[in-house]
Amino acid sequence: MNTTCDEDDFIPEPCDQVAVIDNGFFQTAESNLYTLNGVDLNGDCLLISLSASGCDGNSWSMVLVDSGEVSESLPEQRSLKFIFSNTETCLAVFSQERSFDLRPLQVEGSNEVILNIEDFPEPITYQY
């Protein structure tokens, strides 16, 4: 039996987490301090790189939460918050990367959406 892989058969690695759509959480969630090192799109995954003080970063929690509302513009826009939780009290600085699956944020009938993430320097155009 002979099997070959085409470039079209490429299956990307899954993201670390999935973006959450929850207006109540979006309205009330607060983030601890962090330094944003970079943001990158890789297919349906949004990769966020950050630094913060801590003991080792193993207890850090990160959530990308969407308000659940889509602005009627072309392209459509969504409002998000990146929530970083850090209970570590050490003064060392560590860096981590986390990726978030953006597929739940896709807008039916469209092939792109602008992601406005609170406290990020610029909007992100997510094309799918």
Side-chain angles (χ1 to χ4, degrees), residues 39-58:
V39 178
D40 192 25
L41 271 173
N42 184 9
D44 293 317
C45 292
L46 177 68
L47 181 66
I48 297 175
S49 175
L50 63 86
S51 298
S53 64
C55 300
D56 59 15
N58 288 329

Side-chain angles (χ1 to χ4, degrees), residues 29-41:
E30 294 186 19
S31 188
N32 293 118
L33 294 176
Y34 64 91
T35 300
L36 182 64
N37 297 331
V39 178
D40 192 25
L41 271 173

Side-chain angles (χ1 to χ4, degrees), residues 50 52-53 57-62 84-86 88 94 96 98:
L50 63 86
S53 64
N58 288 329
S59 67
W60 291 354
S61 171
M62 299 176 214
F84 172 71
S85 298
N86 179 7
E88 299 178 1
F94 294 92
Q96 282 190 18
R98 196 76 55 93

Side-chain angles (χ1 to χ4, degrees), residues 3-115:
T3 60
T4 61
C5 293
D6 293 334
E7 285 184 32
D8 294 340
D9 294 337
F10 175 74
I11 299 172
E13 292 296 317
C15 310
D16 298 319
Q17 295 174 235
V18 176
V20 176
I21 301 174
D22 184 330
N23 188 273
F25 185 42
F26 177 85
Q27 296 298 329
T28 60
E30 294 186 19
S31 188
N32 293 118
L33 294 176
Y34 64 91
T35 300
L36 182 64
N37 297 331
V39 178
D40 192 25
L41 271 173
N42 184 9
D44 293 317
C45 292
L46 177 68
L47 181 66
I48 297 175
S49 175
L50 63 86
S51 298
S53 64
C55 300
D56 59 15
N58 288 329
S59 67
W60 291 354
S61 171
M62 299 176 214
V63 179
L64 184 63
V65 62
D66 178 86
S67 69
E69 299 173 6
V70 178
S71 299
E72 294 184 25
S73 60
L74 285 176
E76 292 88 355
Q77 299 187 45
R78 299 189 77 115
S79 296
L80 297 99
K81 283 185 182 179
F82 175 69
I83 310 301
F84 172 71
S85 298
N86 179 7
T87 58
E88 299 178 1
T89 58
C90 302
L91 296 178
V93 174
F94 294 92
S95 296
Q96 282 190 18
E97 290 185 345
R98 196 76 55 93
S99 64
F100 296 89
D101 188 339
L102 300 177
R103 287 178 290 183
L105 306 180
Q106 293 179 359
V107 177
E108 190 174 328
S110 181
N111 64 354
E112 72 177 326
V113 63
I114 304 296
L115 306 177

